[in-house]
Amino acid sequence: MKKLTKIASALFGATTLGFAGFGAYTFADNFWQGHNNMVQINNDLDQLSQTIKNKNDQLTKAKSDLAEAKKQLKDAQSSQSTLQDQLKSVQEQLAEAKNMLVSNRNTFNQQLQDKEQELQTAINDGNAKVQAKQQEVDKANQQISNLNKQITDLTNQLNQKNQDSQGFSQAVKEAQDTRDHADTVVNNSK
């Protein structure tokens, strides 16, 4: 019986061991499929980690680019402000130059009008002087004409007196005096 017990025990042990081996194989097989899943999950996690790292690197670069763009925008705005100030200054200088041009043109036009007025006044004065001299000449010519008439009258009288033979020397003297007076008037009016 001891032998039977030993055989039964060995058989039971072998069966148990067989079942245990089969269970261990099944357990190892199931464990191995989970291992593949774990490896895949770890690979996926590594890829996700790399993707997150890449995204973080891109985000850091984007933040750096944004900071640089903001700096460039600030510099551009500062340059724009400077250029706007320069433009305003140039526009003010242009307006001032235009005002000076208008003022100078107005001053020149006024001076030109003043000179034209002076010239017209000088012409009018010259014409008035010419007219006054002409009147003096006309008056002198009238006096000469009157004196010539007197001379003619006196000459006629003289001729009459010559015919009468009386007072001849007196008439000659008057004629000579009148003639001298006429010459003096003519000489003075020149």
Side-chain angles (χ1 to χ4, degrees):
M1 197 109 256
K2 271 190 173 193
K3 195 174 182 183
L4 197 51
T5 311
K6 280 187 184 181
I7 290 176
S9 286
L11 192 56
F12 178 73
T15 304
T16 303
L17 190 59
F19 282 122
F22 180 74
Y25 174 76
T26 302
F27 176 75
D29 190 38
N30 286 339
F31 173 74
W32 186 249
Q33 286 178 353
H35 177 71
N36 286 340
N37 288 339
M38 290 302 287
V39 168
Q40 185 63 41
I41 289 171
N42 282 333
N43 285 340
D44 291 345
L45 287 175
D46 287 343
Q47 287 179 358
L48 181 61
S49 175
Q50 187 61 42
T51 301
I52 291 172
K53 182 180 180 300
N54 290 344
K55 295 291 182 186
N56 284 337
D57 289 345
Q58 290 173 357
L59 180 61
T60 301
K61 184 174 183 327
K63 285 180 181 178
S64 174
D65 291 347
L66 179 62
E68 180 63 26
K70 284 181 179 179
K71 181 182 180 301
Q72 290 176 355
L73 176 62
K74 185 177 178 184
D75 291 344
Q77 287 172 336
S78 176
S79 295
Q80 180 186 17
S81 177
T82 300
L83 289 174
Q84 285 175 335
D85 290 343
Q86 290 175 351
L87 176 62
K88 183 179 178 184
S89 175
V90 168
Q91 287 173 334
E92 288 171 355
Q93 291 173 1
L94 179 61
E96 186 177 326
K98 284 181 180 177
N99 289 339
M100 284 179 54
L101 179 63
V102 168
S103 176
N104 288 343
R105 185 182 305 140
N106 290 341
T107 300
F108 175 76
N109 287 341
Q110 185 60 48
Q111 289 174 346
L112 186 61
Q113 288 175 358
D114 291 346
K115 288 294 180 188
E116 287 175 354
Q117 186 61 41
E118 286 177 21
L119 257 166
Q120 190 59 46
T121 300
I123 289 169
N124 291 343
D125 288 347
N127 288 340
K129 288 178 182 176
V130 166
Q131 197 172 28
K133 283 294 179 187
Q134 186 62 47
Q135 288 175 351
E136 288 177 15
V137 168
D138 290 346
K139 185 178 177 183
N141 285 336
Q142 186 61 43
Q143 287 177 346
I144 290 170
S145 177
N146 290 341
L147 289 174
N148 284 335
K149 187 175 183 293
Q150 286 178 0
I151 290 170
T152 301
D153 290 345
L154 289 173
T155 304
N156 288 338
Q157 288 175 8
L158 179 61
N159 288 338
Q160 185 63 35
K161 287 188 180 188
N162 278 339
Q163 288 176 0
D164 293 342
S165 296
Q166 295 178 355
F168 176 73
S169 60
Q170 180 63 30
V172 170
K173 184 175 181 328
E174 285 179 4
Q176 186 61 47
D177 289 342
T178 301
R179 173 81 181 212
D180 290 342
H181 179 65
D183 290 340
T184 300
V185 169
V186 170
N187 288 335
N188 288 339
S189 68
K190 289 183 181 177

